[in-house]
Amino acid sequence: MRRICGFALFWIAVGITISLFIKSTFFTVCLIFALLILGYNLFCC
């Protein structure tokens, strides 16, 4: 469980860092939704 939490926190930090460089809010929101759907499918399937 610790490894999963660490993995998730690492990628959250990467996502926040990437969002600092993206100026468009719409594109950032679309990217967040796409990654959430992808992460859900990878974790549950």
Side-chain angles (χ1 to χ4, degrees), residues 6-37:
F7 188 74
L9 289 173
F10 174 78
W11 285 110
I12 288 170
V14 170
I16 291 170
T17 304
I18 291 171
S19 71
L20 289 173
F21 297 109
I22 299 174
K23 301 298 181 191
S24 173
T25 306
F26 176 74
F27 184 71
T28 305
V29 171
C30 290
L31 184 64
I32 290 169
F33 282 131
L35 291 175
L36 282 172
I37 291 169

Side-chain angles (χ1 to χ4, degrees), residues 37-45:
I37 291 169
L38 180 65
Y40 177 78
N41 286 332
L42 289 174
F43 187 75
C44 292
C45 297

